[in-house]
Amino acid sequence: MCPNFDVVIVGGGVVGSAIARELARYKLTIAVLEKNLDVCMETSGRNTGVVHGGFAYDAGSLKARLCVQGNRMMGELSEELGFAFRRCGKVLVGNTEAEYQSLLKTLRQGEQNGVRGLRMVDGKELHALVPSVEGRFALYSPDSGIVDSFGLTIALAENAAANGVRYFLGREVRNIRRADGSWYVEAGGGVCCQARWVINAAGLGAKRISDLLGITGYHVVASKDDYIILDNRLGDLVPMPIYTVPSNTYMGIHVSCTTDGNVLLGPTAETSDNFSYYGTEQKNLDMLYESAMALWPHFTRGDYIRTYSGILPKLVDEEGKIQDFKIEIRDQQAPHAVNLVGIESPGLTASTPIAKMVVEMVKERERLERNPAFIPERKEPKPFRLMTKEEQAEAVRKNPDYGELVCRCQQVSKAEILRAIHNPIGARTMVSVKYRSRAMMGRCQGGYCQMRIARLLEEEAHLKDTELTYERPGSWLFTGKVRGEEQ
Ligand SMILES: Cc1cc2nc3c(=O)[nH]c(=O)nc-3n(C[C@H](O)[C@H](O)[C@H](O)COP(=O)(O)OP(=O)(O)OC[C@H]3O[C@@H](n4cnc5c(N)ncnc54)[C@H](O)[C@@H]3O)c2cc1C
């Protein structure tokens, strides 16, 4: 049995989810095949969460054009879909003459790219913008911002699902073949989908999918970045991301802020051929400590909450030079397949413009009929922790589950955990609950509430305890009982 769809999208990162949502505006049957047990489990959930201005990319490149578009539309998108976004600005701090000249070049490139409001500021104005940082001058980008990258991706995916897109989670695409004018996409768990269109939005796996589509010859290298997350007690000291002067290939160490008030130190940038290792290295963390301390000496190792890493898929040419985003249809070689390769930074910022570009490319080849039932908004209730006392009392009166705080440090109520468990794409892991509700994200990282959430998942999703996974396929929370009756 091979269900038939108009479009199959491989990959449920921010790009695949944005494409799913944009395509849902048309009368199409759409499926997303994702190898993980939820969306946003790879690069889209492992980045800095900066909404870039678009000045760092070569004039005329897709990266520059789509980044500027994505930056401009992020405010409206966040209101439509209910995810956290702040247009807080960003500074690139310098001290030497060479750095000044480099920043001037970046400013001119930014102006060519259409970035608004870019200007050089002196040390005094820099200090007024970010009192915790010292420097002789800076390039200030008022239009840059920060976004909750999990919130953005989950919102796109859930809105797509609410508009009829089907998500198949835990389904790794292993083979794609073309027969009788259709694509047959085979995934783990015996899933096979027949489709008129295939869209390769597989991120770090995009080269493999490209090869399966018959578009070979791309060279993609991994660039691994380690980060440290600091306690949100320091959040007020970082009103906007603080960057050093970038080189041609590396953005440099930065001190950034998240929409939840945490501070990020990173990234490290190591080229590798490993596309799946997310461990962090002590030597990198020590290097981050030293470099970040030189830029922003306001933290101690005691402020560390946790570390993480992300991997960028960099498309390179034969000389190893980094290439632009590749977004293509090869009508002869792989008809009705949109191939996206090398979607590295600023892919988060540019995700919706990338999706709109994909739709336009499809529309050049066939007529798409508008879906009059498409609903672009996603109504998210205000988090309990952000409600006034009066709003909290009213919420508890209407729904007593708001009266039970499951995660005390992040003030997440049982009502919000239940809402996270019953998400429209059917993701049922501990981390699915964490990124939707913020439970387990505080200093204790779930030490208090994790077991209560596991019980709620068992009850609500009708799972046995030995079926509960933390994050990835096979990351079982329990393997059996250690006392009491034998399993
Ligand atoms: C360290 C770091 C910092 C960054 N900072 C920023 C930033 O501040 N601002 C910004 O705009 N961008 C940033 N980026 C870039 C941005 O995160 C990415 O461009 C974006 O997330 C790419 O999204 P994606 O959907 O293409 O890839 P992914 O998120 O990797 O999604 C691809 C999906 O495909 C799935 N998949 C892969 N192979 C298969 C298969 N065979 N079958 C089924 N599913 C498959 C994967 O599981 C994954 O979920 C950063 C990236 C990194 C690594």
Side-chain angles (χ1 to χ4, degrees):
M1 174 62 184
C2 207
N4 204 331
F5 293 92
D6 293 315
V7 185
V8 163
I9 300 168
V10 185
V14 70
V15 173
S17 303
I19 295 171
R21 177 173 184 259
E22 286 306 316
L23 283 171
R25 294 178 190 272
Y26 299 89
K27 282 188 180 171
L28 293 166
T29 52
I30 303 161
V32 176
L33 298 180
E34 166 53 55
K35 72 174 179 181
N36 281 300
L37 299 174
D38 199 352
V39 296
C40 204
M41 288 293 108
E42 305 280 339
T43 313
S44 299
R46 295 173 163 276
N47 49 59
T48 329
V50 172
V51 175
H52 289 303
F55 48 81
Y57 314 103
D58 290 344
S61 64
L62 275 181
K63 285 179 186 173
R65 175 160 64 86
L66 299 173
C67 181
V68 171
Q69 288 174 5
N71 178 301
R72 291 205 184 145
M73 62 176 64
M74 199 60 84
E76 199 180 316
L77 199 62
S78 80
E79 275 170 29
E80 208 165 55
L81 292 176
F83 60 85
F85 161 66
R86 195 145 49 85
R87 200 174 287 287
C88 53
K90 164 173 148 177
V91 284
L92 282 72
V93 181
N95 287 293
T96 66
E97 179 55 28
E99 287 176 338
Y100 192 81
Q101 292 308 324
S102 170
L103 288 180
L104 271 187
K105 214 171 127 193
T106 306
L107 184 147
R108 281 194 287 269
Q109 178 168 274
E111 285 172 345
Q112 266 182 293
N113 292 346
V115 181
R116 294 183 298 208
L118 272 184
R119 64 191 168 89
M120 296 297 293
V121 295
D122 60 15
K124 199 165 153 219
E125 194 175 350
L126 166 64
H127 195 66
L129 286 166
V130 191
S132 66
V133 86
E134 302 285 342
R136 283 187 54 214
F137 49 81
L139 175 62
Y140 173 47
S141 165
D143 261 5
S144 298
I146 52 173
V147 65
D148 170 3
S149 40
F150 290 104
L152 165 61
T153 309
I154 288 167
L156 289 165
E158 292 191 358
N159 183 249
N163 282 295
V165 173
R166 282 193 60 192
Y167 275 79
F168 294 86
L169 301 172
R171 301 285 181 242
E172 179 170 7
V173 172
R174 295 183 179 152
N175 196 24
I176 302 177
R177 59 195 165 80
R178 190 157 176 83
D180 310 324
S182 277
W183 291 104
Y184 291 83
V185 185
E186 292 163 14
V191 166
C192 170
C193 296
Q194 185 182 345
R196 196 164 73 254
W197 283 90
V198 173
I199 297 179
N200 173 11
L204 292 163
K207 184 191 150 26
R208 186 169 153 231
I209 300 300
S210 179
D211 288 344
L212 290 175
L213 289 168
I215 304 175
T216 55
Y218 285 127
H219 191 39
V220 180
V221 295
S223 171
K224 178 167 172 286
D225 293 300
D226 290 356
Y227 286 83
I228 300 167
I229 308 180
L230 303 182
D231 196 295
N232 59 11
R233 84 174 179 85
L234 296 165
D236 288 345
L237 296 178
V238 188
M240 64 182 76
I242 309 162
Y243 280 52
T244 46
V245 179
S247 74
N248 275 345
T249 51
Y250 175 40
M251 287 252 187
I253 301 282
H254 36 266
V255 176
S256 197
C257 42
T258 71
T259 51
D260 293 317
N262 295 96
V263 174
L264 302 178
L265 310 179
T268 44
E270 274 180 302
T271 303
S272 133
D273 53 9
N274 191 328
F275 286 75
S276 58
Y277 175 67
Y278 287 122
T280 52
E281 309 300 317
Q282 189 58 49
K283 70 171 172 44
N284 291 349
L285 304 181
D286 291 343
M287 190 273 270
L288 276 182
Y289 176 88
E290 297 297 334
S291 313
M293 194 49 90
L295 178 68
W296 189 76
H298 300 284
F299 66 96
T300 67
R301 286 192 163 92
D303 292 311
Y304 292 10
I305 289 188
R306 60 173 295 179
T307 63
Y308 71 97
S309 71
I311 305 172
L312 285 163
K314 292 203 181 261
L315 178 64
V316 294
D317 66 10
E318 277 150 20
E319 276 87 48
K321 189 164 173 277
I322 297 165
Q323 302 295 295
D324 200 1
F325 291 159
K326 180 62 73 182
I327 304 173
E328 63 180 356
I329 298 178
R330 302 233 194 141
D331 291 307
Q332 302 305 319
Q333 225 168 331
H336 287 82
V338 190
N339 196 33
L340 294 94
V341 185
I343 309 298
E344 54 140 336
S345 195
L348 188 70
T349 310
S351 47
T352 289
I354 290 174
K356 288 184 183 295
M357 181 175 166
V358 167
V359 172
E360 286 310 309
M361 290 165 80
V362 171
K363 278 165 81 177
E364 279 165 18
R365 283 149 182 95
E366 69 178 45
R367 201 178 148 270
L368 297 184
E369 203 181 326
R370 282 265 166 200
N371 171 10
F374 179 79
I375 298 171
E377 292 87 15
R378 172 174 170 266
K379 296 262 174 293
E380 275 297 277
K382 194 173 183 180
F384 189 71
R385 69 178 193 287
L386 300 180
M387 291 180 192
T388 62
K389 288 275 173 259
E390 293 72 33
E391 287 170 336
Q392 288 183 337
E394 180 62 8
V396 174
R397 197 185 59 74
K398 283 193 180 147
N399 177 359
D401 285 339
Y402 271 108
E404 182 182 336
L405 277 191
V406 175
C407 169
R408 292 190 184 174
C409 50
Q410 298 298 299
Q411 296 206 335
V412 184
S413 65
K414 181 180 171 190
E416 290 162 295
I417 304 285
L418 297 185
R419 189 177 162 84
I421 292 173
H422 295 293
N423 63 77
I425 65 168
R428 302 280 185 268
T429 66
M430 294 296 285
V431 162
S432 305
V433 175
K434 176 177 173 175
Y435 293 133
R436 284 171 177 77
S437 68
R438 279 195 57 75
M440 302 179 276
M441 276 203 182
R443 216 169 206 297
C444 79
Q445 292 283 296
Y448 171 77
C449 60
Q450 187 161 307
M451 284 308 110
R452 176 78 183 113
I453 293 170
R455 286 283 168 258
L456 287 171
L457 253 172
E458 273 178 65
E459 289 163 19
E460 295 289 320
H462 309 293
L463 295 168
K464 288 193 224 144
D465 46 12
T466 48
E467 289 170 341
L468 289 180
T469 42
Y470 184 73
E471 181 177 18
R472 289 175 193 275
S475 60
W476 308 116
L477 214 53
F478 310 107
T479 52
K481 293 196 189 305
V482 289
R483 62 181 168 197
E485 57 194 281
E486 291 287 317
Q487 282 292 298

